[in-house]
Amino acid sequence: MKALVVYSSVTGNTSILAEAIYHEMIKHIDHVDFLTIDEVDYQQLATYDVLAIGTYTWGNGELPPEMDDLYYEIEQQSVGHLMTGIFGTGDSFYPYFCGAVDHFRDMLFVHTELAVTLKVELVPQTEDLNKVSTFCSRLVRTRVTV
Ligand SMILES: Cc1cc2nc3c(=O)[nH]c(=O)nc-3n(C[C@H](O)[C@H](O)[C@H](O)COP(=O)(O)O)c2cc1C
């Protein structure tokens, strides 16, 4: 199994969550790449089995512009085999809390095997970090074919 944890973060909140997810993922999977969005090679996307995407929310519930290409590539490529999870941080002061997570969730549900989502208010707290093990175990659970 091969996994990718990819994220975007400006002020560090999503980065804290991404690091926690990466450290949990390596307990389950031997090969885990941990990349910021600007480091992703889109030609490699289909070579992964598991994909965890982290994003903050921008504008009025929008994707940050640097996440647009990843969103587009997943829509366009044949990645229906990918087990995916989407996580993010946002600020409930805004009317559309973690809207970018919702946008990704809806697209991943259609184009991949969406397994789990996680939304966190600003800086991840202990109770948020406790959810990381559940997030990862849902994401890497063995797929059963009958
Ligand atoms: C201009 C601006 C617009 C934002 N819009 C939203 C929004 O619509 N919904 C939301 O939940 N958070 C919104 N946020 C809050 C950020 O998503 C939040 O602070 C997040 O934790 C930042 O992540 P980072 O520290 O990883 O960069 C906005 C922040 C800024 C500065």
Side-chain angles (χ1 to χ4, degrees):
M1 281 241 278
K2 190 177 158 194
L4 171 63
V5 180
V6 57
Y7 71 96
S8 180
S9 180
V10 173
T11 57
N13 300 339
T14 313
S15 145
I16 293 169
L17 199 53
E19 280 184 29
I21 285 170
Y22 168 70
H23 286 293
E24 186 65 27
M25 291 271 272
I26 57 178
K27 296 180 189 169
H28 299 273
I29 298 181
D30 288 339
H31 183 139
V32 184
D33 289 332
F34 183 48
L35 303 175
T36 57
I37 189 65
D38 52 309
E39 296 172 323
V40 174
D41 177 356
Y42 293 110
Q43 303 306 317
Q44 298 297 313
L45 268 187
T47 69
Y48 292 99
D49 305 292
V50 173
L51 173 64
I53 300 169
T55 182
Y56 63 97
T57 294
W58 192 246
N60 184 22
E62 300 301 324
L63 254 57
E66 69 273 20
M67 296 303 280
D68 284 347
D69 284 353
L70 177 62
Y71 185 101
Y72 175 80
E73 290 292 339
I74 293 170
E75 271 190 315
Q76 297 301 314
Q77 294 190 22
S78 299
V79 289
H81 67 284
L82 273 181
M83 290 292 283
T84 54
I86 174 74
F87 62 92
T89 66
D91 183 346
S92 56
F93 167 82
Y94 290 90
Y96 197 179
F97 177 60
C98 284
V101 169
D102 290 344
H103 288 306
F104 263 107
R105 177 201 62 205
D106 293 348
M107 183 277 288
L108 293 170
F109 178 76
V110 173
H111 294 280
T112 70
E113 296 276 349
L114 177 68
V116 63
T117 70
L118 176 61
K119 294 179 181 178
V120 166
E121 173 83 24
L122 295 169
V123 184
Q125 305 294 309
T126 306
E127 72 257 27
D128 302 311
L129 296 172
N130 288 342
K131 294 177 184 168
V132 162
S133 62
T134 306
F135 180 94
C136 291
S137 60
R138 291 202 181 153
L139 192 49
V140 304
R141 73 184 187 275
T142 310
R143 212 176 308 167
V144 179
T145 307
V146 289

